């Protein structure tokens, strides 16, 4: 059972609870069932945290691969530029091509890193939103439970 399903069940438990006479804002709930649901949330949290860590690891791996690819591109461009420069007859043209290749390689590297950063940011934002929503729901349930005391 996912955390969202458990929280939905907690909401349902509150919705189905009967009101205390003369106090409509207070409810009588099955404390044992609520305790089970809270324990279920606690048991499911590590899975959600593991998923967030996996996403973070994947993003870091993507960033490292992008950096490695960029370094390979730059190294190849530099090697090619060195070969072209070594020929005296085309030194001027070689310098221009080398600069262009390095610029393109650096731009490609920046684009790859930018894309990886955007992907990482999106995944982390989605994870943050997910946990923020769940935390708000837990706080809401906690406040409702506390208000019933």
């Amino acid at each position: 059972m996912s955390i969202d399903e458990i929280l939905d069940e907690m909401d349902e438990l509150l919705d189905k609870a009967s009101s205390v006479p003369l106090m409509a804002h207070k409810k009588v709930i099955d404390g044992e069932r609520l305790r089970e649901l809270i324990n279920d949330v606690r048991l499911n949290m590590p899975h959600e945290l593991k998923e967030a860590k996996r996403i973070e690891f994947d993003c870091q791996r993507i960033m490292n691969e992008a950096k490695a690819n960029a370094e390979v591109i730059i190294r190849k461009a530099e090697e090619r530029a060195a070969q072209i420069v070594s020929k005296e007859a085309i030194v001027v043209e070689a310098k221009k091509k080398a600069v262009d290749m390095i610029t393109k390689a650096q731009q490609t590297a920046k684009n790859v890193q930018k894309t990886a950063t955007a992907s990482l940011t999106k995944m982390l934002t989605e994870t943050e939103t997910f946990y923020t929503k769940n935390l708000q729901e837990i706080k809401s349930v906690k406040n409702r439970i506390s208000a019933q005391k």
Side-chain angles (χ1 to χ4, degrees):
M1 186 179 287
S2 75
I3 291 175
D4 285 332
E5 292 170 334
I6 296 168
L7 292 171
D8 288 343
E9 197 168 325
M10 291 171 100
D11 275 338
E12 187 178 322
L13 183 65
L14 285 171
D15 290 341
K16 290 182 179 179
S18 57
S19 297
V20 173
L22 303 175
M23 297 179 156
H25 65 282
K26 295 196 178 210
K27 303 270 187 171
V28 176
I29 63 166
D30 181 353
E32 189 174 312
R33 180 65 185 137
L34 184 60
R35 175 88 48 218
E36 288 173 7
L37 292 171
I38 290 170
N39 287 335
D40 287 347
V41 168
R42 286 188 179 119
L43 290 173
N44 281 295
M45 285 299 275
H47 168 72
E48 303 292 345
L49 292 174
K50 285 178 188 174
E51 182 67 15
K53 286 180 182 178
R54 186 193 62 76
I55 289 169
E56 180 183 11
F57 175 79
D58 286 347
C59 291
Q60 189 61 43
R61 181 186 51 79
I62 290 167
M63 291 291 289
N64 290 339
E65 286 176 9
K67 193 173 187 177
N69 287 339
E71 290 171 0
V72 167
I73 291 169
I74 290 169
R75 190 183 77 245
K76 286 181 180 180
E78 289 171 345
E79 288 171 1
R80 177 115 167 98
Q83 290 172 356
I84 292 171
V85 169
S86 69
K87 297 178 182 176
E88 290 181 37
I90 55 171
V91 170
V92 172
E93 185 180 330
K95 285 182 180 180
K96 182 183 181 294
K97 285 184 180 182
V99 168
D100 288 345
M101 289 174 68
I102 290 172
T103 301
K104 286 179 185 176
Q106 288 172 337
Q107 187 59 43
T108 300
K110 285 179 185 177
N111 289 342
V112 169
Q113 286 178 330
K114 188 176 183 180
T115 301
T117 299
S119 177
L120 172 63
T121 301
K122 180 182 176 199
M123 284 189 255
L124 290 175
T125 299
E126 289 171 357
T127 301
E128 180 182 36
T129 301
F130 174 79
Y131 282 108
T132 300
K133 178 185 172 210
N134 285 336
L135 182 59
Q136 288 171 344
E137 290 176 10
I138 290 169
K139 286 180 179 179
S140 174
V141 170
K142 182 181 173 187
N143 288 338
R144 282 188 245 146
I145 291 169
S146 295
Q148 294 176 7
K149 290 183 180 178

